[in-house]
Amino acid sequence: MKEKILEILKSKVSRKNWELWFNSFDVKEVGEDKIVFKVGNLFIKEWLERKYGSIIKRVIRETFGREIPYEIVYESVERVHSSEPLIRKRPLVITPLNPHYTFENFVEGPGNTFAYRVSLEVAKNPGRYNPLFIYGGVGLGKTHLLQAIGNYLFVNEPDLKVMYLTSEKFLNELINAMKSDEMNEFREKHRKKVDVFLLDDVQFLMGKSGIQLELFHTFNELYDSGKQIVICSDRTPEELADFQERLVSRFQMGIVVRIDPPDENTRINIARKMVEMEDGDLDKEVIDFVALSIPDNLRRMKGAIIKLLAYQDMTGEKVSIQKAKELLGDILAKGNSIDSFDKLLNALSKTFGIPKAEILGNSRKQGVVLARQVGMFVSKKYLKMSIRTIAERFNRSHPSVLTTIKKLEDAISGGNKTLKSHVDSVVSMMHGMVGNGGLFGG
Ligand code: ADP
Ligand code: MG
């Protein structure tokens, strides 16, 4: 019966929506007079009840030939709901938000829909889905969404005190408070005078256990009084290396959502939106060109657009694709690192005789580990990739990438010939793959 319900339901929902909303959906119990479904969190439960209630009813009727009431439960760490509304007395703490970072200016696409909708729900019902943890690669819109929540509340709930902080700022404020013996003020400010706490780039606090402890207490106090907490990070809670376990589990108590890189279509729409946000005017082909040639990082795409618009402003001349290529030379070359990285993977795979997936995976086999280490080293020394990007590409933590690269550096300068020859053969193989030798420029 279980399978049958799911099968019929699946046939009535588009694939995209199935993947988006039903991936944690399951039949928990089939009784004579009640059917219980379960999902991964409260947000999905409420969304399904609202948007798919009638479809689910219909599916039950089709499966059993009669109507049976149903219930959707969610199974994650349940929180004790405080029914108290958020405190709305003191005036808003003004935090500098970028006024462009709004929900209206955020383009929805397959990679970010879930994050977008949950964020919007959080803005509409602060305190309800708590905490919200958003993670994803660099330049994919995390800060934009975080601030969109702030901007939305600023307009719609002016009595609410919203605090937006980067983790770096949080750390600096803590250090200053300690220096000037003002810890009470610091705690009062972050724990008591806030209704909505938006904390950006929490991975910045990796390896800094003192501030993690402070954050833990801040978190608990806000959470216990029903205040909304939203946290952004470039990795999942579990991947926050040496974060205290109890803090990680706090982050997982509510909803964890991922932002994936946008597909081509979404990138084009985002590029258009960026031009519009700048009050600019670029030819359609130029926008498409920019959107398609800068694939991995929207911040870089925005930089490119601003550069082209500035050129138009200054010269009064409309930028053509040819001109755009010329003006964006440096930015486009960096975008190329994707191709270079592919070449590196191919070269590693050939040199060491190991499939690419294994190199990027978790295998601890000696040969695989060596291939991976050489890969990180070459990424840094020859492809000039940042540690952060290398960590992302190889799916390793920032500190472990640093240690590896340092280790290989020392070994090679210490005269390890085998290692040196591995590196050389990988590099020359990559050269061979490039053809015109343009790989290592810059
Ligand atoms: P992150 O914090 O994830 O590194 P940002 O939020 O800073 O990324 O986004 C980088 C740039 O791309 C910002 O200018 C942001 O406005 C823009 N951006 C990202 N995603 C979108 C989107 N879906 N729609 C419109 N603009 C976006
Ligand atoms: Mg950011």
Side-chain angles (χ1 to χ4, degrees), residues 39-80:
V39 294
N41 65 52
L42 175 62
F43 177 76
I44 297 181
K45 163 183 153 68
E46 295 188 344
W47 185 268
L48 292 182
E49 283 168 352
R50 211 164 351 134
K51 302 281 173 178
Y52 291 92
S54 55
I55 293 187
I56 294 174
K57 247 194 213 160
R58 203 164 358 120
V59 169
I60 292 176
R61 210 183 314 124
E62 271 183 41
T63 315
F64 298 94
R66 66 190 171 98
E67 301 215 346
I68 306 176
Y70 73 91
E71 185 190 358
I72 302 179
V73 298
Y74 72 99
E75 294 190 341
S76 59
V77 188
E78 310 249 345
R79 64 163 299 201
V80 196

Side-chain angles (χ1 to χ4, degrees), residues 355-394:
K356 287 192 267 184
E358 222 176 316
I359 297 175
L360 295 179
N362 285 321
S363 164
R364 301 298 310 160
K365 275 189 244 157
Q366 216 179 350
V368 182
V369 171
L370 180 63
R372 198 180 288 143
Q373 291 180 333
V374 169
M376 293 180 191
F377 184 81
V378 172
S379 303
K380 179 74 200 159
K381 295 291 161 196
Y382 296 90
L383 297 182
K384 309 283 183 215
M385 286 163 64
S386 69
I387 299 291
R388 186 180 206 168
T389 314
I390 299 172
E392 254 172 46
R393 290 286 150 79
F394 282 95

